[in-house]
Amino acid sequence: MEESIELRLARLCKQCFGLEMLKLQEIPACGSDRKYYRLFMPAPAPKTIIGAWNTDLRENEAFVSFAQSFFSAGLAVPEIYAIAPEGDVYLQQDLGDQTLFSLLSAEWFPVKDKPAACFPQRLTSLYKKSLSQLLDMQVAGKNCIDYSKSTPSASFHKDAMHWDLNYFKYFFLRLLRIPFDEQALENDFRSLVDFLQTAPSDYFLFRDFQSANIMILENEPYFIDFQGGRRGLLHYDPASLLYDAKSYLPKNIRIELLEYYVSLLESKTDYPAEDFLRFFKAAVVLRLMQALAAFGFRGVVEKKPGFRESIPPALDLIKELMQDWDLPLTLPEIRDCFVRMLAMTELRSFQ
């Protein structure tokens, strides 16, 4: 009979720490198929550790490899204690239950719609700390990461960008019956990808840098869920964080945080601010289309909670982007699709 996940985690704890696990609690899953457990241990082991189970062995290998490299470089990631020989269970540092998203939920969401609501200064500070740590990770990844472990590809190359754009085409536009001219849309996809491919792309790209993947421990950010990381452009990750539909960041805060990241870029690297900003909005367009596809697939097709509800705030970000459109390329069919999306009142009904 196949051994249970719980028994395998207990055995791995015994092998790693030489101690018997006291008990374990399963942590509720979010959007992935991975399972996480909080394991309670006796001294001198850490009081609690996190046990993870995932049948995607390449994904596990990537996460463990990246985490070990970043931890050795002194960056804000969990320590990896052990991984089973089979590669499907591993143990990592417990960073608690508080995420940047949970703090947004507690401190910002209840007041965000009130007249004269002000975004909490504490959250602004945590966002800035997160952006600073992100840039350190992006730059360190140029030298300390083994990109042969990346999955499904070692870099965010042209094909990978096209995968995201086709994801948007099929699991948002077509799924929700938003009309489009297929050839014109493909032409815009090629223009967008070709433009982004001219940006420097030898940095670590987190891939899913959002508030739910930023743990807050003793008022400091730590990063998790970077198993999709690969070599890529700098712009995508700050775009992911600042244009995260689930966070409801006010526009003025988003501008302040972008200016802060650019100031860090100028002080920590030789990347000119003007060059960075030239590509940034194009990366925002790419990320928002990828996110909308995920909301369509996860929320409408798979009916997982929390995804359909993110479509209306994502449309608000699209509307804002259209009002301030200053990309150095026109993308007429993408813009027309955005106009059609904004005109469809039924998309606003997802709650």
Side-chain angles (χ1 to χ4, degrees):
M1 187 169 64
E2 187 175 349
E3 193 174 33
S4 69
I5 299 170
E6 292 82 355
L7 285 176
R8 295 189 61 214
L9 287 170
R11 180 156 49 86
L12 190 57
C13 283
K14 177 71 172 178
Q15 293 169 351
C16 180
F17 298 103
L19 298 166
E20 298 287 347
M21 179 182 71
L22 299 176
K23 63 176 181 177
L24 88 172
Q25 295 175 348
E26 185 169 356
I27 299 172
C30 294
S32 77
D33 295 323
R34 295 182 296 276
K35 288 187 177 182
Y36 292 101
Y37 300 82
R38 175 162 284 116
L39 316 179
F40 294 82
M41 299 292 295
K47 185 177 180 181
T48 60
I49 59 178
I50 297 298
W53 172 84
N54 182 17
T55 57
D56 189 332
L57 304 188
R58 288 186 62 195
E59 193 175 82
N60 296 343
E61 185 180 20
F63 177 75
V64 169
S65 174
F66 298 163
Q68 289 172 333
S69 296
F70 283 135
F71 187 82
S72 296
L75 296 172
V77 299
E79 181 178 2
I80 302 296
Y81 299 127
I83 182 167
E86 299 84 355
D88 58 343
V89 295
Y90 55 90
L91 306 176
Q92 68 184 62
Q93 180 184 0
D94 187 356
L95 298 172
D97 295 313
Q98 192 172 77
T99 66
L100 184 53
F101 181 76
S102 70
L103 289 176
L104 286 165
S105 301
E107 300 178 20
W108 173 235
F109 295 172
V111 301
K112 66 180 177 63
D113 295 323
K114 294 182 179 180
C118 291
F119 193 73
Q121 182 58 43
R122 180 166 95 102
L123 295 183
T124 301
S125 176
L126 288 172
Y127 266 93
K128 288 182 176 179
K129 287 181 177 181
S130 299
L131 287 168
S132 180
Q133 293 276 15
L134 169 66
L135 183 56
D136 290 344
M137 175 183 277
Q138 291 175 305
V139 173
K142 295 173 71 171
N143 300 311
C144 75
I145 291 299
D146 178 2
Y147 289 106
S148 70
K149 306 294 186 185
S150 298
T151 178
S153 60
S155 68
F156 198 37
H157 49 52
K158 291 180 71 169
D159 287 348
M161 291 184 183
H162 277 290
W163 296 339
D164 281 355
L165 294 170
N166 284 324
Y167 190 29
F168 169 72
K169 180 169 71 174
Y170 293 112
F171 285 101
F172 193 79
L173 296 181
R174 187 152 287 170
L175 177 68
L176 298 175
R177 299 182 180 180
I178 299 163
F180 59 89
D181 181 316
E182 186 139 21
Q183 185 58 63
L185 189 62
E186 286 296 326
N187 293 342
D188 279 4
F189 285 175
R190 279 194 292 272
S191 296
L192 179 61
V193 170
D194 288 346
F195 175 68
L196 286 171
Q197 287 293 308
T198 64
S201 298
D202 57 343
Y203 301 91
F204 181 78
L205 191 150
F206 191 115
R207 179 63 177 162
D208 194 21
F209 192 66
Q210 53 159 311
S211 57
N213 289 335
I214 301 174
M215 308 300 299
I216 304 299
L217 179 64
E218 297 179 351
N219 212 39
E220 295 295 331
Y222 292 81
F223 303 151
I224 59 170
D225 280 8
F226 41 81
Q227 58 278 342
R230 63 200 73 175
R231 183 180 281 110
L233 65 172
L234 279 173
H235 313 70
Y236 191 87
D237 289 333
S240 299
L241 184 67
L242 302 185
Y243 286 81
D244 176 9
K246 297 182 180 182
S247 295
Y248 297 95
L249 285 180
K251 181 178 179 181
N252 67 307
I253 297 298
R254 204 159 44 245
I255 292 171
E256 178 183 344
L257 294 173
L258 177 59
E259 290 175 347
Y260 178 74
Y261 179 85
V262 170
S263 72
L264 291 174
L265 196 62
E266 290 184 304
S267 64
K268 293 185 176 185
T269 77
D270 57 0
Y271 200 131
E274 183 178 348
D275 289 355
F276 175 84
L277 292 171
R278 181 168 176 263
F279 293 100
F280 182 70
K281 285 289 183 69
V284 172
V285 170
L286 178 62
R287 174 59 180 182
L288 281 175
M289 288 193 286
Q290 188 278 336
L292 283 165
F295 300 155
F297 179 66
R298 298 291 189 183
V300 179
V301 177
E302 295 189 331
K303 302 189 185 305
K304 290 188 175 182
F307 288 93
R308 284 166 50 111
E309 300 88 337
S310 298
I311 292 176
L315 293 176
D316 290 337
L317 291 173
I318 293 287
K319 182 178 180 180
E320 179 188 308
L321 194 65
M322 294 287 287
Q323 292 169 343
D324 299 327
W325 191 272
D326 57 357
L327 275 72
L329 59 171
T330 55
L331 307 179
E333 184 60 20
I334 288 177
R335 293 188 65 179
D336 284 350
C337 286
F338 287 171
V339 170
R340 296 179 197 115
M341 288 156 48
L342 293 173
M344 291 181 64
T345 56
E346 54 266 42
L347 295 182
R348 295 283 181 178
S349 66
F350 290 121
Q351 299 294 338

